[in-house]
Amino acid sequence: MKLIPLVSVLICAILFAPKGMALATDSEQPIEIQADFAELDDQEGKTIYVGNVVVIQGSIKMTGDKLKVNFSEERDLEDVYIEGRPAYFKQTPDSGDDVEGEGLLIEYHAQKNLLHLIHKAKLTQGKRIFTGDRINYDTAKSVITARGSPAQPVAAGAPPKKRERVRIIIPPKKKKPASKQ
């Protein structure tokens, strides 16, 4: 097995951020993955890490219970899945406002530049907060979409289940101090 190429491709892709989002130096930092179990299959192009998974590179930190990564035959990253209760990521961009996200499942689809936070999802950018059942983030276009939980069928005679709605908190703009003349 060729551990170094797989791990370096994995972490570079886990950055899942446009150039303006991550610290410019993150990709130059060493990569550390910790887990209770790891299985790397070069032939199939799959890697799996299980048990208290922690991935760190520069300002980026991801944690979860299970991390699964799929690669193409050319060893290009295709998909990253991290499960947890919740799975979590944090990143410091050059702008200085941390970006944090969590969900029971975090998916990253590298070829499409799409990050999905699924079930009990939350994304925080500085003081802006997005919550919902699913949050999709297009890392190339910097577009965030969020949706509430789908309607659940209810058994006859049972009380209706409360549907989770999207919640977004946008803080007020800071007022500029009045200039004295």
Side-chain angles (χ1 to χ4, degrees), residues 8-84:
S8 61
V9 169
L10 162 68
I11 299 306
C12 290
I14 285 179
L15 298 178
F16 56 71
K19 291 177 178 115
M21 189 172 169
L23 279 179
T25 58
D26 279 342
S27 63
E28 300 166 9
Q29 301 301 312
I31 300 160
E32 180 181 345
I33 301 174
Q34 298 175 20
D36 296 331
F37 172 83
E39 179 177 275
L40 307 162
D41 186 338
D42 271 349
Q43 205 121 35
E44 292 293 319
K46 298 179 184 210
T47 63
I48 297 173
Y49 299 87
V50 179
N52 196 23
V53 178
V54 178
V55 180
I56 298 173
Q57 182 180 31
S59 75
I60 300 164
K61 180 175 184 177
M62 295 181 71
T63 62
D65 300 321
K66 181 177 184 180
L67 173 66
K68 180 176 141 188
V69 184
N70 298 326
F71 298 92
S72 70
E73 288 181 18
E74 295 79 31
R75 293 191 192 264
D76 292 325
L77 181 87
E78 291 181 338
D79 306 295
V80 174
Y81 303 89
I82 187 163
E83 300 171 26

Side-chain angles (χ1 to χ4, degrees), residues 98-117:
D98 284 348
V99 176
E100 295 182 71
E102 63 183 50
L104 298 182
L105 174 64
I106 298 175
E107 295 181 0
Y108 175 60
H109 303 285
Q111 306 306 316
K112 298 176 184 177
N113 297 309
L114 293 175
L115 174 70
H116 304 295
L117 306 170

